[in-house]
Amino acid sequence: MTITRLAPAPVVSETALLDRRRRRRVALLYVGLVVGLVVATLVAGGSGQLQIPLNEILGSIAHRVGLDVGPMPSHPRGEYTLWNVRFSRIAMAVIVGASLAVAGAAMQGVFGNPLAEPSVVGVSSGAAVAAGAAIVFGLRFAGDWSIPVCAFLGGLVTTLLVYALSRSDGRTEVVTLVLTGIAVNAVAGALLALLMFLGDTQARESIVFWQLGSLNGSRWTYVVVVAPIALVGVVIALACARSLDLLALGERSARHLGVNVEALRIVLIVVVALLTAAAVSFCGIVAFVGLIVPHLVRMVTGPAHRVLLTASMLAGALVLICADTVARTFIAYTDLPLGMLTSLVGGPFFFWLLRRTRKTSGGWA
């Protein structure tokens, strides 16, 4: 009598089919994000009070790389505006967006909850307070790096404080984490108000500008300072991707598989502080990017963190370029606060995420 085993074959085929579909979605997402970044960069470069046509932008780029093709900007200040104002601002938008998105993805991975986000747990406001203190008291102990260093230390201390206060019996409750972050944000807001009271007019204006969040005034010198910090943070986060995948199985399973959970959390908390500090050091608080972007990307890529972090980095850069273009072109001769725009979109999205989480998991935790 012959026994025919037919059951396992469809399971394997179905699994392979789902894997192929997921890989196809991820590939299309990567292509879409890269193309979107190129298009958004060209649109942002040509938009503003001084309109620069696309062929002149391409011609200027070609001449910069040594190719004598295409027209140069016809306006007398077109070339200067393009390379010293627009492109430096776009570069800063790429760094800030990528940093916040990767920080958000890492934060959500390390706490195993999509509600975690750097600004929610107070790291952004803590970094802003430290940077505001550097402005008011004129701290210049490290030259151009003084403000980023202060922002990093402020973000790191704030994040570790929130983590320590929300931890109980070896566990970190997400609700406690969010509520602790709200309390820390309130304290940070009060400290910023105190700094504004103590500072002079110039310092006060700088702090207000910081709180609103803006890429106005971004220069290549700032990009050179911020880029290495963001690069180090992104590289470390990507190096921890496999450990985050194992942590998603649960703390106990991750420990059995050789992951030092507490060390991983501390390292990634430092990374989140590093990335957030890089983002807020010159541009102020840009809220909700670290919450929205990783969550949307995860819907397409799934939970694998190496893909999630990479796609979030590209998507965060794209979102910030688009948001900044809207901020400086929506109303003529006015530069809207970037943080205001991201909060207008991110606030309702966060509320929807809370409602969705409550429906799917049966509670707020």
Side-chain angles (χ1 to χ4, degrees):
M1 182 178 179
T2 303
I3 300 176
T4 304
R5 297 181 178 179
L6 298 176
V11 175
V12 174
S13 300
E14 186 177 352
T15 303
L17 181 61
L18 290 174
D19 193 46
R20 281 199 298 271
R21 287 178 178 174
R22 190 186 67 82
R23 285 202 298 266
R24 191 180 302 120
R25 284 201 308 270
V26 171
L28 288 175
L29 178 65
Y30 278 146
V31 172
L33 289 174
V34 171
V35 172
L37 273 174
V38 173
V39 172
T41 298
L42 294 175
V43 171
S47 303
Q49 297 179 22
L50 174 61
Q51 296 285 336
I52 303 176
L54 176 61
N55 61 335
E56 294 182 358
I57 296 175
L58 296 175
S60 178
I61 295 174
H63 281 80
R64 287 278 177 160
V65 298
L67 300 175
D68 190 17
V69 294
M72 293 291 287
S74 56
H75 193 278
R77 294 189 62 80
E79 182 75 358
Y80 177 85
T81 301
L82 190 62
W83 288 96
N84 293 287
V85 178
R86 301 269 174 83
F87 281 163
S88 59
R89 185 164 178 159
I90 292 170
M92 186 64 83
V94 169
I95 296 171
V96 171
S99 299
L100 292 176
V102 171
M107 181 73 81
Q108 292 168 12
V110 80
F111 289 109
N113 193 290
L115 302 182
E117 197 254 354
S119 64
V120 171
V121 297
V123 59
S124 298
S125 53
V129 168
I135 293 173
V136 171
F137 299 115
L139 301 179
R140 290 293 181 267
F141 57 90
D144 290 339
W145 293 80
S146 299
I147 294 177
V149 168
C150 289
F152 168 70
L153 293 176
L156 175 62
V157 170
T158 306
T159 310
L160 292 176
L161 179 65
V162 171
Y163 177 69
L165 292 175
S166 60
R167 192 166 178 78
S168 177
D169 298 329
R171 298 177 64 246
T172 305
E173 297 288 345
V174 175
V175 173
T176 308
L177 179 77
V178 173
L179 293 177
T180 305
I182 291 172
V184 171
N185 273 320
V187 175
L191 290 175
L192 273 175
L194 177 62
L195 289 170
M196 292 172 63
F197 178 78
L198 295 176
D200 55 16
T201 303
Q202 184 177 358
R204 201 172 297 136
E205 290 178 353
S206 299
I207 293 175
V208 170
F209 170 78
W210 197 320
Q211 285 181 285
L212 292 175
S214 175
L215 294 172
N216 188 21
S218 298
R219 296 291 181 268
W220 287 115
T221 51
Y222 301 161
V223 174
V224 171
V225 172
V226 176
I229 303 175
L231 180 62
V232 170
V234 170
V235 170
I236 296 175
L238 287 172
C240 296
R242 185 176 179 278
S243 298
L244 284 173
D245 290 342
L246 297 177
L247 185 60
L249 301 174
E251 289 190 24
R252 180 175 298 178
S253 300
R255 287 193 181 95
H256 287 313
L257 292 170
V259 178
N260 187 335
V261 175
E262 290 307 312
L264 176 66
R265 280 184 167 159
I266 292 173
V267 167
L268 285 176
I269 284 173
V270 173
V271 167
V272 169
L274 188 72
L275 291 169
T276 308
V280 305
S281 57
F282 289 104
C283 303
I285 298 175
V286 183
F288 290 109
V289 174
L291 172 67
I292 299 173
V293 172
H295 194 76
L296 293 178
V297 170
R298 190 182 292 105
M299 291 179 177
V300 179
T301 64
H305 281 85
R306 190 174 300 280
V307 177
L308 174 64
L309 289 167
T310 306
S312 295
M313 180 178 63
L314 296 173
L318 177 60
V319 166
L320 250 290
I321 292 177
C322 295
D324 183 57
T325 303
V326 172
R328 63 185 176 82
T329 59
F330 186 69
I331 299 177
Y333 305 105
T334 301
D335 204 325
L336 295 176
L338 182 60
M340 180 195 71
L341 289 179
T342 57
S343 297
L344 281 175
V345 177
F349 183 85
F350 184 63
F351 179 72
W352 171 80
L353 187 58
L354 287 172
R355 299 277 298 180
R356 182 174 178 270
T357 303
R358 186 174 65 172
K359 287 182 179 178
T360 55
S361 64
W364 297 100

